[in-house]
């Protein structure tokens, strides 16, 4: 029977010799916001864009980082749109059926990145997100920029489901910042100078 330390060392060596496979994760952020009547049913027309330069979120790392990419498995702008409209609707805005005179809100995802620690065994990952929002009515607009970054330390290289959870978490945190921004909400509620 092999001693445990030798077995652990052999297992670690075998794992480090293996390349990590690519993964596909689905975005389904669900930012938690307080239900209010802040919006007083004012219409907001949401437009969501994926303004990132690359399709992939990043690499899982390992010995072949160029092939162990993490990519979205669903429509990124739709996931953003669904999250933001639901958040605004919960706060009393009319985001589901906006009228022609609605305030426009363009939400741009400019970063959603997954950066593993160095080395063949990946047990540290930094996940970051940046969202820009441009709200506009005739002759006036208000902009905001929202960021989040979380570093995860873990004993093992994360699975696809864990990576999906971490990526959605950082995106949710960023969208909560947008949906809780008092100046942005004031502008959406009709105040031209929040």
């Amino acid at each position: 029977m092999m001693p445990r330390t030798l077995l652990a060392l052999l297992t670690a060596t075998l794992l480090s010799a293996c390349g990590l496979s690519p993964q596909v994760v689905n975005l389904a952020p669900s930012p938690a916001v307080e239900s209010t009547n802040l919006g007083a049913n004012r219409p907001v027309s949401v437009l969501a864009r994926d303004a990132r330069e690359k399709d992939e979120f990043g690499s899982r790392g390992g010995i072949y980082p160029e092939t162990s990419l993490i990519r979205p498995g669903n429509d990124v702008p739709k996931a953003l749109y669904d999250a933001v409209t639901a958040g605004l609707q919960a706060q009393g805005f009319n985001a589901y059926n906006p009228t022609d005179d609605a305030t426009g809100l363009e939400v741009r995802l400019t970063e959603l990145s997954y950066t593993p620690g160095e080395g063949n065994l990946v047990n540290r990952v930094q996940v970051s997100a940046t969202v820009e929002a441009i709200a506009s009515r005739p002759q006036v607009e208000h902009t905001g920029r929202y960021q989040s970054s979380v570093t995860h330390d873990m004993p093992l290289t994360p699975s696809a489901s864990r990576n999906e959870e971490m990526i959605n978490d950082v995106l949710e945190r960023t969208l909560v910042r947008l949906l809780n921004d008092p100046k942005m909400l004031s502008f959406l509620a009709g105040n031209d100078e929040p």
Side-chain angles (χ1 to χ4, degrees), residues 49-54 76 80 107-111 132:
R49 294 187 186 280
D50 183 1
R52 298 173 305 126
E53 293 181 1
K54 297 179 180 176
V76 174
L80 277 177
V107 180
R108 297 176 186 161
L109 179 65
T110 58
E111 178 196 13
E132 294 175 355

Side-chain angles (χ1 to χ4, degrees), residues 12 59 79 156 181 188:
S59 167
L156 299 171
D181 178 355
L188 295 176

Side-chain angles (χ1 to χ4, degrees), residues 1 9-12 19 30 35 39 51 63 82 93 127 131 136 154-155 179 186:
M1 192 162 163
L9 185 61
L10 182 60
T11 303
S30 182
S35 293
I63 58 173
D82 290 346
F93 293 94
V127 188
V131 167
S136 60
M154 57 209 83
L179 293 165
S186 177

Side-chain angles (χ1 to χ4, degrees), residues 139-156:
Q139 313 301 321
V140 63
E141 76 173 26
H142 179 77
T143 62
R145 190 167 186 266
Y146 312 92
Q147 292 178 291
S148 299
S149 186
V150 181
T151 299
H152 298 272
D153 289 303
M154 57 209 83
L156 299 171

Side-chain angles (χ1 to χ4, degrees), residues 52-90:
R52 298 173 305 126
E53 293 181 1
K54 297 179 180 176
D55 180 54
E56 66 269 12
F57 300 128
S59 167
R60 297 182 66 204
I63 58 173
Y64 304 115
E66 65 281 354
T67 61
S68 61
L69 301 177
I70 301 178
R71 290 192 166 91
N74 60 338
D75 187 329
V76 174
K78 184 178 186 316
L80 277 177
Y81 172 85
D82 290 346
V84 173
T85 53
L88 290 172
Q89 194 76 24

Side-chain angles (χ1 to χ4, degrees), residues 7-31:
L7 182 60
L9 185 61
L10 182 60
T11 303
T13 303
L14 287 172
L15 284 173
S16 66
C18 296
L20 298 172
S21 58
Q23 290 177 346
V24 173
V25 301
N26 288 320
L27 292 185
S30 182

